[in-house]
Amino acid sequence: MKKLIVIVALLAAGFVNAQAFNGKGDQKFQVGANFQDEATGLNLTYDYGLGENISVGLSSSYALGVDDVIADLTDFGDRFDLKARFNANLGNVINIDENFDVYPGLSLSLKNFGGHVGTRYFFSSGFGLYAEAAFPLAKYDDNVDLFYNQFTFNIGASFNL
């Protein structure tokens, strides 16, 4: 009986397709926490595969926990950011594990033009974890550094759609 259970478990694991990025038509949704100076918040990301290693998408963040010193100075527009993004999905290029993806990219947001570097690892065909660091390359307004015009870090759950 034990041998049968082990064989079934191995066969079931072999049929699970948990690739981190499948290429054209692949869709990912990510939800996580956003960390930066003076605030923490929520981050939502959607990516759509255009080719074997290329994806585009949208990312949105909202700063929820703002330090008391600047809380009175901020409104919705200061706390919210929306980005159009372009990724180079390199998981199959570096070939560490088919469930692992590394994706550097560029983004154009309401606050700046920036870059990001992220990783995601899928534990099953539908669920994984991600971590992403974002940084500005060019700011629209040099006098505004409250939110998103600085280094930010996101971590959370990733889902295949």
Side-chain angles (χ1 to χ4, degrees):
M1 185 66 174
K2 289 181 185 179
K3 289 181 183 179
L4 179 62
I5 292 173
V6 170
I7 291 170
V8 169
L10 289 173
L11 288 174
F15 290 118
V16 173
N17 182 7
Q19 285 185 316
F21 185 74
N22 294 322
K24 187 174 182 178
D26 189 35
Q27 297 181 64
K28 303 283 189 256
F29 174 73
Q30 299 178 148
V31 60
N34 173 271
F35 300 98
Q36 57 185 300
D37 284 344
E38 312 294 341
T40 57
L42 178 68
N43 176 259
L44 302 173
T45 303
Y46 172 77
D47 290 317
Y48 180 80
L50 293 180
E52 184 178 352
N53 298 98
I54 305 269
S55 65
V56 295
L58 294 172
S59 177
S60 179
S61 296
Y62 186 76
L64 295 169
V66 178
D67 286 350
D68 292 338
V69 176
I70 61 170
D72 295 336
L73 303 173
T74 63
D75 60 10
F76 178 82
D78 294 324
R79 294 177 181 224
F80 176 76
D81 193 22
L82 179 67
K83 299 177 182 180
R85 48 194 270 145
F86 170 83
N87 298 328
N89 302 87
L90 304 176
N92 65 347
V93 174
I94 60 174
N95 203 22
I96 292 175
D97 186 339
E98 70 176 10
N99 300 339
F100 180 75
D101 187 23
V102 175
Y103 56 95
L106 297 172
S107 59
L108 182 62
S109 82
L110 299 175
K111 310 284 184 193
N112 61 40
F113 172 71
H116 58 271
V117 177
T119 62
R120 56 182 149 223
Y121 185 84
F122 278 85
F123 299 102
S124 70
S125 62
F127 174 75
L129 296 177
Y130 84 101
E132 184 175 294
F135 47 90
L137 297 172
K139 302 174 186 178
Y140 296 148
D141 185 354
D142 286 335
N143 297 324
V144 179
D145 281 330
L146 290 178
F147 307 115
Y148 310 113
N149 269 325
Q150 58 184 306
F151 176 83
T152 63
F153 182 74
N154 303 310
I155 188 167
S158 186
F159 303 95
N160 276 321
L161 299 180

